[in-house]
Amino acid sequence: MTISLNTLAARGAQVLALTALAASMAAAQTPGKLKVGLMLPYTGTFAALGTAIENGFRQHVTELGGKIAGREVEYFKVDDESDPSKATDNVNKLIKRDQVDVLIGSVHSGVAMAMAKSAKESGTLLIVPNAGADAVTGAMCANNIFRSSFSNWQPGYAMGEVMAKKGIKKVVTITWKYAAGDESVRGFKESFEKGGGTVVKELNLPFPGVEFQGLLTEIAAAKPDAVFTFFAGGGAVKFVKDYSAAGLKKSIPLYGSGFLTDGNLEAQGEAADGLFTALHYADSLDTKRDNAFRLNYAKTYRLQPDVYAVQGYDAAQMLAIGLNATKGDASKSAEISAALRKVTIDSPRGPFTISKAHNPVQDFYLRQAGAKENKKVGIASAKLEDPARGCKL
Ligand code: PHB
């Protein structure tokens, strides 16, 4: 049989075309690396919180062998400095320049609101591993926006219930003047006043100020039955020390959302001993799940974990659950939402579910600080769900 040169050339072209097709199909089946954008504070009053979140996130990714839904995880990092005025530029570095598949951030409520706005506009998947801004899972809620932490309303509301039940009547509140402070106090006031208490004075200072002296003098003059506060990170260390040094701790009991003492006990020393706080985590849960998490964390990072580490770990758990439902496609937000709304997350904090608005429905523990631990002493509020005001999901 004779084959013409023309036929041979045609066959060769066919083979080449088939090889190219096969290669492009293989590329479509093995998506590239999963680009994870960490937008967290690595400087300023919340620096330690950002590091703990990243540590926790990486711990779970390591447990998964470095891959989520078959895609190797690649990290991109931005220090947001807890500065809302830089937040839109910062988040655009991750969305536009680095073209990340998912955003993880942030700690500060004002920064997280700017991230949520950009995530909503671009359709990028966002998991908030701390910031409690009520709007993120309220008026700004969306199929592609999730939270692994809490809403500001939640720990405030839980503490208000406890203090009203204790029979406390007159309270002064003190916090930073920004979304997290305002909303924590609002949540507190809602349950405390429902339970028969009165907030007689609301004191504020700008974030991240630590000039507490004048305000402590006002508290002494008002002589309330107790004080409720939201402070966190480095600012909370100074507040607890100043409150004690001013001699107020003995005469006017100080209560707070648990960020006041979480991750801070080493630095606060005796000034924190005995303080009651409410939070969705504690140091002495003593469950198999939490003990294993804590041991692994301590071995890896030579640090004790705190609520921030847990929230970072659970952000990675939520990401894996969501992406396993879409074979690694981070753009399918309706499917990710459906998957996350129907699971129970096996968290070191205890099991929790995700509300319709994408915020954790979880137990808030009553904790007491002592011997460098935030010890669980009871349940402040069980399976507490944020009211998600303004969310139309
Ligand atoms: C917040 O800004 O939402 C925030 C910051 C630090 C915390 C908790 C909430 O520990």
Side-chain angles (χ1 to χ4, degrees), residues 70-155:
R71 299 175 70 180
E72 196 182 320
V73 174
E74 183 178 13
Y75 294 100
F76 295 80
K77 283 170 64 162
V78 168
D79 175 8
D80 67 42
E81 304 167 49
S82 295
D83 186 345
S85 74
K86 298 182 184 162
T88 302
D89 283 346
N90 279 331
V91 76
N92 278 331
K93 287 182 196 155
L94 295 169
I95 296 174
K96 297 194 173 139
R97 183 192 66 194
D98 302 330
Q99 306 209 320
V100 299
D101 295 293
V102 55
L103 293 162
I104 305 293
S106 185
V107 168
H108 183 286
S109 274
V111 173
M113 281 194 278
M115 291 182 79
K117 188 165 178 286
S118 297
K120 212 167 172 168
E121 284 164 7
S122 64
T124 315
L125 181 60
L126 166 65
I127 303 178
V128 178
N130 183 69
D134 290 344
V136 166
T137 54
M140 301 176 86
C141 74
N143 264 339
N144 62 319
I145 299 176
F146 298 85
R147 186 148 50 194
S148 64
S149 51
F150 62 95
S151 74
N152 289 324
W153 179 93
Q154 282 177 309

Side-chain angles (χ1 to χ4, degrees), residues 46 49 107-110 130-133 150 152 176 178-181 230-233 259 307-308:
F46 292 155
L49 288 57
V107 168
H108 183 286
S109 274
N130 183 69
F150 62 95
N152 289 324
W176 281 313
Y178 82 112
F230 164 84
F231 287 112
F259 309 110
V307 69
Y308 309 104

Side-chain angles (χ1 to χ4, degrees), residues 228-246:
F228 170 80
T229 189
F230 164 84
F231 287 112
V237 172
K238 174 127 190 322
F239 181 74
V240 164
K241 286 184 152 181
D242 285 5
Y243 195 87
S244 175

